[in-house]
Amino acid sequence: MDPVIIAGAGPVGLTLALALARQEVPCVLLDEGPGTDEPRPARTVVLHEDTAALVQRLSGVPLTRAGFRWAGWRSMRRRQVMREIAFDDTDPAPLHIAQHVLTGALRAALAREPLVRIAVDSRLDGVEQEASGVTARTRGPKGTWWRGSYLVGCDGPRSTVRKLQDIRFPGRTAVERHAVAALRTELPWQDQALLHRAPPWRTSGPSAGEITARPLPDGVWRVDWLLPPGKDLVTPELVVARIRETLAGWTGGSVPPYELVDTGVHTVHHRLARRWRVGRVFLAGDAAHLLGALGTQGLDEGLRDADNLAWKLALAWHHGPHEALLDSYQTERRAVVAARLRAADQALPLLRGGKGLRSVVPGSARGHDALLTDGHLGRGSLGAPGAYADSPLMPPRLEGEVPVETPPGWPVADVVVTAEDGSFVRLRDRLGRGALLVVLVAPGTGVWERRHWASAGIMPRLAAAVDSLPRPAELLVAESYPGAAAHTVLLVRPDGHLVTALSGVRPADLHAAAEAALGGAGRTAEEAEAGAGAGTH
């Protein structure tokens, strides 16, 4: 079967290529550039817990060494500290990393991946599709025709794929603008990210704004200044003036020593593509959506697009197309991003519209601070990972279903589990392999070798039920899971979202839930017979 063609070699395209290769799907990655990324220290991204884990799992690179996890978060308004948050293992900090470092780690992993071919200096120029596949034409020094089974446009805000498929991209332009600088200096808040609203040295007008400072490795800070509405040119003189004014204000005196490493302007747009799928062509990342006001991170959603789409394309590639499963990509991901955009658009007038409710609602300053903190830290309606509770892949109410702390459709907690080889691993490390995960909650098993309990109690019956599922699944055992009683059985999608939790071994319910989660993409009679003969979990 022909490979999957991915147009665009940014973080989302690179991640999707790796995710497909890990599921034994060959890819052609069309990179319109030379195959390297220009170092830009002022162009950084913030990855929250789930997306950082996704990239680290795929790349094999311990990203904490390449980026920086903040020790804490501090927010201020004028001279008052509004909130301080200290991060720890139970409440991990986001990962702040330069984008070229992130893409470098992904490219290095792809260089070791035989199933991915990267075509550099290859700009997409045309797409044709028919029932059996897709043909893509590239231009440039290595222009040619490429044949693929599917094509995914990860080619950014000006997506050629989106335009060739005549997909509308409505929304708003320049919702926010920020001047950005990367500085090497010492600030009073060591290792803490800072959000400073209405700093006292800027006392009037829309330019009073807010400033964000986020630490990076090697004593570098990324500092962002919210700019007033308009299209005024951001000159080097303006940036230097803001730097000196801000550093003097934070240190309470003269400007401390600093080295200006890089500068830029970050403009935020809010747009959402009408369709994310046209036949065998899909959109992901900035080609499908643009968001990022109020501290939210658009790349997080792009990486979640890749995670959601990869296992569905892999199943279709290996076992034949299943329209309900492929359609669910748009249904699930577009709904999540649309909700995020609505939340930001509703909050913007309150936070950026002058006096508004601020002057009449008691405690509104703290409420606004909470909203902005949610955006920056990946929490609440502005920042938390989305759920697929209303997905067409969710099963109907099952007789044996029981509640746990994770509602159906939400990302599962990352607990320690025992794998089939007896090793102890994190649940998140077993994701992205294309298989469903079945997790038995069995207190006490962690202190015994697997051979002592793998054939005891309910395990043989559960293993038989797992063997009979519509597609191969991996059986794992956990000492505990938040809110789950002993002998609770969890069914988890390949992208880490909970399908259902059942009380005990219920083969019929487990089979029905798996069938629904796969969009009805059950095994053919031949596959079922082969799987039964192999005894595969």
Side-chain angles (χ1 to χ4, degrees), residues 34-122:
T36 58
D37 299 283
E38 178 189 3
R40 288 295 310 277
R43 190 178 186 188
T44 66
V45 296
V46 176
L47 301 181
H48 297 114
E49 184 184 8
D50 61 319
T51 51
L54 168 65
V55 173
Q56 184 160 304
R57 182 174 72 244
L58 291 173
S59 69
V61 174
L63 292 181
T64 301
R65 299 178 187 174
F68 195 92
R69 287 196 181 273
W70 310 328
W73 169 267
R74 172 188 294 240
S75 57
M76 300 179 64
R77 188 169 188 273
R78 301 193 188 281
R79 299 185 185 277
Q80 180 183 4
V81 175
M82 305 290 290
R83 177 174 306 197
E84 285 190 276
I85 298 173
F87 298 114
D88 55 30
D89 291 341
T90 62
D91 183 20
L95 177 74
H96 191 198
I97 187 169
Q99 183 164 313
H100 71 271
V101 174
L102 175 65
T103 56
L106 292 168
R107 287 183 185 276
L110 282 171
R112 303 187 298 269
E113 183 49 69
L115 287 176
V116 179
R117 177 179 179 181
I118 301 179
V120 299
D121 298 318
S122 298

Side-chain angles (χ1 to χ4, degrees), residues 145-404:
W145 290 88
W146 301 89
R147 182 66 180 172
S149 54
Y150 298 93
L151 186 146
V152 186
C154 303
D155 48 346
R158 296 179 176 86
S159 171
T160 300
V161 174
R162 188 184 64 240
K163 293 171 183 175
L164 289 172
Q165 298 304 305
D166 197 25
I167 298 174
R168 293 184 59 201
F169 198 40
R172 297 199 291 155
T173 300
V175 176
E176 290 186 347
R177 280 200 317 154
H178 298 259
V180 182
L183 310 170
R184 183 171 283 108
T185 189
E186 291 187 11
L187 295 181
W189 305 279
Q190 185 177 4
D191 297 346
Q192 283 188 324
L194 170 70
L195 171 68
H196 198 165
R197 300 170 60 219
W201 56 88
R202 303 192 69 83
T203 57
S204 64
S207 61
E210 66 190 36
I211 309 169
T212 308
R214 290 169 286 198
L216 285 161
D218 302 322
V220 175
W221 292 77
R222 170 171 165 166
V223 185
D224 292 55
W225 294 266
L226 178 66
L227 297 171
K231 298 181 180 180
D232 294 342
L233 184 64
V234 180
T235 64
E237 292 77 15
L238 172 66
V239 174
V240 170
R242 287 291 178 95
I243 291 170
R244 296 179 64 82
E245 174 188 66
T246 299
L247 294 182
W250 282 340
T251 56
S254 59
V255 179
Y258 72 91
E259 176 189 353
L260 181 55
V261 179
D262 191 20
T263 63
V265 176
H266 175 51
T267 303
V268 175
H269 311 288
H270 278 182
R271 295 188 178 276
L272 184 64
R274 293 288 191 195
R275 292 180 293 166
W276 292 25
R277 180 193 181 193
V278 179
R280 290 177 172 266
V281 176
F282 298 82
L283 300 179
D286 286 353
H289 51 78
L290 295 174
L291 69 161
L294 308 179
T296 58
Q297 298 292 322
L299 180 57
D300 264 338
E301 296 301 344
L303 295 176
R304 291 169 187 147
D305 294 345
D307 198 23
N308 184 290
L309 182 57
W311 71 272
K312 298 172 182 178
L313 277 181
L315 194 147
W317 194 90
H318 286 294
H319 304 289
H322 193 282
E323 296 308 303
L325 184 66
L326 295 177
D327 282 343
S328 72
Y329 165 67
Q330 172 178 306
T331 304
E332 292 178 345
R333 293 300 308 145
R334 193 177 186 279
V336 165
V337 176
R340 180 71 49 82
L341 283 168
R342 282 195 301 272
D345 286 341
Q346 289 167 1
L348 272 165
L350 299 179
L351 295 170
R352 305 289 191 238
K355 292 184 179 180
L357 293 178
R358 267 180 255 186
S359 59
V360 296
V361 178
S364 60
R366 291 196 177 275
H368 296 166
D369 175 77
L371 274 174
L372 287 167
T373 297
D374 282 349
H376 282 281
L377 300 187
R379 302 173 175 182
S381 61
L382 285 180
Y388 306 140
D390 297 323
S391 166
L393 303 184
M394 292 302 297
R397 177 70 184 179
L398 301 168
E399 182 181 350
E401 191 171 0
V402 293
V404 295

